[in-house]
Amino acid sequence: MSPSLRLDIAGRELSLAVRRSSTASRMSLRIAPGGDGVVVVLPVGVPLAEAERFAHHQRDWIAGRLDSMPERIALAPGAELPFMGLPHRINHQPTARRGVWAEEGRINVSGREEHVARRVGAFLRDEARLVLAHRSRSLSASIGRKVARVTVRDTKSRWGSCTADGELSFSWRLILAPGWILDYVVAHEVAHLAEMNHGPDFWRLVETLVGNPKPARSWLKLHGPGLHRYGSAP
């Protein structure tokens, strides 16, 4: 992925990222999750300037897509968001002594109101790290592999990744998705510990770990972008 350029669409400044593809035969464009940028896929050999020109030619389409996207939801008192796929409402309890905790469809937050968004974001990120690390190590042990490290980030273009050194990285926003979606993404990356490709052996291993991956892939394609509208983590 190239460094981001800037693009002005209908008075909104967006990032413009360019991804080179050895398999693409023509340029294509998509809105980045969260609606704060545009990604242009550029075939090898096509000058970088063509990506900017292409995006400008598509500015009406981009503006239309941005207008149709759901509004962002701040991590503020009273806001509702999914937690492990179930709706939870942020409940500010300023005098409570427990910090941040989830129970009975609520994410309770103590302390001052101006710190609620930051604390809820940190809570979600910490929960994601715990669940993803536990699930990753459990699945990797089942195939005789070892995870070197598990990290969580606020990635835009992918839900997980695996390095040749056995380090797994995931989007913290997976904690917002149903558990079976999180399990699929973990299985996908754990399978890369054994098969660093997307060949038939890789997909057979994913299916061994988590069952048929097609429903989860379809869910992420349909609902995944919506997970990026919830606040932002620190």
Side-chain angles (χ1 to χ4, degrees):
M1 189 80 76
S2 73
S4 290
L5 307 170
R6 305 306 297 177
L7 183 69
D8 187 89
I9 299 291
R12 287 177 283 197
E13 188 178 26
L14 308 173
S15 64
L16 172 60
V18 180
R19 181 169 66 84
R20 292 282 183 181
S21 172
S22 60
T23 59
S25 59
R26 59 185 178 85
M27 287 186 289
S28 62
L29 180 149
R30 62 179 173 83
I31 305 297
D36 56 357
V38 173
V39 180
V40 173
V41 177
L42 205 61
V44 174
V46 176
L48 182 63
E50 289 298 313
E52 293 185 77
R53 189 174 294 112
F54 179 65
H56 280 291
H57 280 304
Q58 299 294 325
R59 58 184 177 273
D60 289 342
W61 179 87
I62 294 169
R65 288 296 301 273
L66 291 174
D67 288 340
S68 67
M69 293 182 70
E71 293 184 7
R72 287 184 176 272
I73 296 176
L75 302 181
E80 186 175 277
L81 69 156
F83 178 62
M84 292 297 289
L86 298 176
H88 281 66
R89 191 169 296 279
I90 297 176
N91 180 36
H92 184 214
Q93 297 194 36
T95 60
R97 301 280 184 183
R98 293 182 57 183
V100 185
W101 71 101
E103 65 178 3
E104 299 180 349
R106 295 189 301 272
I107 296 177
N108 301 294
V109 192
S110 64
R112 295 164 59 179
E113 184 171 352
E114 60 265 35
H115 300 317
V116 167
R118 176 183 59 79
R119 299 189 73 190
V120 172
F123 167 78
L124 294 171
R125 198 177 181 107
D126 289 344
E127 289 294 307
R129 185 180 297 107
L130 287 171
V131 174
L132 289 161
H134 172 75
R135 191 64 177 144
S136 296
R137 293 193 168 96
S138 176
L139 283 184
S140 62
S142 73
I143 61 170
R145 300 284 172 163
K146 187 175 181 180
V147 175
R149 186 172 66 149
V150 176
T151 58
V152 297
R153 298 187 175 95
D154 195 7
T155 51
K156 301 295 185 182
S157 61
R158 58 175 61 186
W159 296 105
S161 62
C162 174
T163 71
D165 296 329
E167 295 189 1
L168 305 185
S169 180
F170 298 97
S171 168
W172 71 263
R173 295 176 185 275
L174 287 168
I175 202 66
L176 306 177
W180 62 279
I181 299 298
L182 181 147
D183 284 348
Y184 158 69
V185 176
V186 171
H188 185 113
E189 302 311 328
V190 166
H192 278 313
L193 296 173
E195 299 286 342
M196 192 60 79
N197 56 68
H198 288 105
D201 290 342
F202 167 82
W203 287 112
R204 277 192 289 270
L205 182 54
V206 171
E207 190 162 358
T208 298
L209 290 170
V210 79
N212 182 6
K214 290 182 180 179
R217 295 178 70 190
S218 296
W219 191 98
L220 285 169
K221 185 175 182 179
L222 182 63
H223 301 290
L227 300 183
H228 289 271
R229 68 188 178 123
Y230 294 99
S232 59

